[in-house]
Amino acid sequence: MKFKKGELVQQEFGGPVMEVIGFEPHLIENIVTQWEDEKGTIIKAKFMQDTLIPASSIKK
């Protein structure tokens, strides 16, 4: 795995900073993430590993 549980990631082309909370290696969208939106709602989503980068890699 490219990422570790608890690591902060973002989609390659932007979007919210998300925390990696788990893995589903048998699926194409194998990285499980969560983040909190501006209203305080916790959102969970799955992404393909290749579409995510470490949040620290984002250029400001």
Side-chain angles (χ1 to χ4, degrees), residues 7-30:
E7 187 171 356
L8 298 179
V9 297
Q10 275 186 301
Q11 291 184 46
E12 188 174 4
F13 299 106
V17 173
M18 305 171 279
E19 178 182 1
V20 175
I21 61 168
F23 305 97
E24 294 191 353
H26 56 284
L27 297 177
I28 292 174
E29 293 180 328
N30 59 342

Side-chain angles (χ1 to χ4, degrees), residues 25-41:
H26 56 284
L27 297 177
I28 292 174
E29 293 180 328
N30 59 342
I31 307 292
V32 183
T33 64
Q34 77 174 20
W35 68 95
E36 188 174 328
D37 72 8
E38 63 279 347
K39 295 179 182 178
T41 304

